[in-house]
């Protein structure tokens, strides 16, 4: 089993997710789903897994900086057990960017998916991570063809015995397109508006209500119950008004 980096979530799933499965982290424009996904990636790296991240959302340097702000530091693993494929620069940059880890034309779905599958097999990665599929969806002249390409990619990675983590922003997808792109995933974890909820799972869930409240912290996504059990977590949420009264959110 692969831990997702949050104990309460692992407990709901009975220890984590099955290796070789596919996991969709669905969220809103808050991108809390992306943070939780990368927490799971960091946990896998610490466990000795080899990971290929495909970054379509922003330059890899910006991704690394963003994640460090949430306690996720990939630097010790880069060029060793972690590789980041740059799918951003040749979508938005000026001129053609080259390099071993730069996708030449991310909008060419055939070439892009072939490069990803080739890298997975050639360098023997255990986990493919896509951050995220929404950026490409907004640029496609035919979203339906794009969805089919993603479904084929996820299923082909699964046939190789590899694990797939994918971030999806549900606020952007048309309702039918969102349902279609989630078809190949064994697990669907929704992370939005302060609640983590398991929507789909390979194995029977361990609780009747498979969800919990969370807060976004400097150490990533943290269950509210655990966060407030620590003195530092409690202090971080306190504020004083102009009269000197102390408030915890809306409670005086």
């Amino acid at each position: 089993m692969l831990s997702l980096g949050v104990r309460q979530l692992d407990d709901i799933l009975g220890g984590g997710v099955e290796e070789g499965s596919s996991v969709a982290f669905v969220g809103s424009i808050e991108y809390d789903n992306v943070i939780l996904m990368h927490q799971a990636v960091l946990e896998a790296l610490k466990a000795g897994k080899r990971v290929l991240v495909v970054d379509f959302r922003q330059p890899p340097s910006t991704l690394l900086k963003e994640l460090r702000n949430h306690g996720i530091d990939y630097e010790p693993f880069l060029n060793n057990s972690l590789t980041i494929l740059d799918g951003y620069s040749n979508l938005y940059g000026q001129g053609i960017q080259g390099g071993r880890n730069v996708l030449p034309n991310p909008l060419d779905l055939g070439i892009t998916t072939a490069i990803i599958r080739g890298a997975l097999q050639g360098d023997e990665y255990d986990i493919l991570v896509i951050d995220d599929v929404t950026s490409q969806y907004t640029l496609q002249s035919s979203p339906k063809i794009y969805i089919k390409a993603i479904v084929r990619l996820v299923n082909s990675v699964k046939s190789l015995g590899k694990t797939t983590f994918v971030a999806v922003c549900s606020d952007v997808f048309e309702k039918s397109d969102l349902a279609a792109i989630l078809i190949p995933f064994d697990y669907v974890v929704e992370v939005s508006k302060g609640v983590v909820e398991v929507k789909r799972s390979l194995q029977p869930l361990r609780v009747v209500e498979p969800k919990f409240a969370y807060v976004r912290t400097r150490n990533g996504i943290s269950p509210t119950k655990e966060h407030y059990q620590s003195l530092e977590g409690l202090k971080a949420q306190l504020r004083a008004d102009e009269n000197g009264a102390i408030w915890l959110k809306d409670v005086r």
Side-chain angles (χ1 to χ4, degrees):
M1 300 290 281
L2 284 173
S3 168
L4 294 182
V6 175
R7 185 176 62 185
Q8 195 165 346
L9 179 55
D10 286 341
D11 288 345
I12 289 173
L13 293 165
V17 298
E18 296 280 355
E19 294 196 41
S21 62
S22 51
V23 188
F25 294 83
V26 181
S28 63
I29 56 173
E30 301 164 312
Y31 280 128
D32 287 348
N33 59 316
V34 173
I35 296 171
L36 180 59
M37 179 178 72
H38 285 287
Q39 283 177 241
V41 174
L42 184 61
E43 192 74 14
L45 288 166
K46 290 178 179 178
K49 301 299 182 184
R50 289 177 52 77
V51 178
L52 177 66
V53 174
V54 185
D55 180 17
F56 293 116
R57 191 165 51 92
Q58 57 193 344
S61 59
T62 305
L63 173 67
L64 293 173
K65 187 184 301 183
E66 174 192 65
L67 295 177
R68 280 197 299 271
N69 290 335
H70 298 288
I72 301 165
D73 186 6
Y74 280 159
E75 292 292 344
F77 304 98
L78 283 171
N79 303 317
N80 183 14
S81 53
L82 171 68
T83 298
I84 300 177
L85 278 182
D86 179 1
Y88 177 91
S89 294
N90 283 327
L91 278 176
Y92 306 103
Q94 294 182 346
I96 302 299
Q97 305 295 315
R100 182 174 181 270
N101 294 325
V102 179
L103 292 172
N105 182 6
L107 286 177
D108 188 319
L109 301 177
I111 292 176
T112 296
T113 54
I115 290 173
I116 293 170
R117 282 195 299 266
L120 277 172
Q121 290 178 288
D123 292 325
E124 298 182 347
Y125 292 101
D126 304 297
I127 302 173
L128 168 66
V129 180
I130 302 179
D131 179 359
D132 69 354
V133 294
T134 315
S135 303
Q136 282 272 48
Y137 172 78
T138 60
L139 299 174
Q140 299 297 321
S141 57
S142 176
K144 303 297 184 187
I145 292 176
Y146 174 66
I147 290 168
K148 289 179 181 178
I150 294 298
V151 170
R152 283 197 301 269
L153 176 61
V154 172
N155 282 330
S156 67
V157 171
K158 197 184 306 184
S159 71
L160 295 172
K162 315 285 187 179
T163 303
T164 310
F165 291 164
V166 174
V168 183
C169 179
S170 60
D171 287 349
V172 175
F173 278 82
E174 295 289 338
K175 187 175 181 180
S176 61
D177 289 346
L178 178 63
I181 207 165
L182 293 178
I183 286 173
F185 290 94
D186 303 305
Y187 300 87
V188 176
V189 180
E190 187 173 71
V191 189
S192 182
K193 297 179 174 61
V195 177
V196 173
E197 182 173 3
V198 178
K199 295 285 194 176
R200 184 186 302 163
S201 171
L202 263 182
Q203 64 264 33
L205 300 177
R206 296 298 181 89
V207 296
V208 176
E209 289 284 330
K211 61 183 178 181
F212 58 88
Y214 73 85
V215 290
R216 185 200 286 201
T217 74
R218 293 177 183 175
N219 295 313
I221 299 302
S222 177
T224 301
K225 183 178 178 181
E226 291 181 12
H227 184 65
Y228 288 140
Q229 282 177 343
S230 72
L231 179 60
E232 290 303 314
L234 187 61
K235 285 166 59 178
Q237 301 299 316
L238 296 176
R239 62 180 176 85
D241 64 17
E242 64 274 11
N243 298 316
I246 303 298
W247 294 80
L248 177 62
K249 292 191 174 180
D250 297 326
V251 179
R252 182 175 177 176

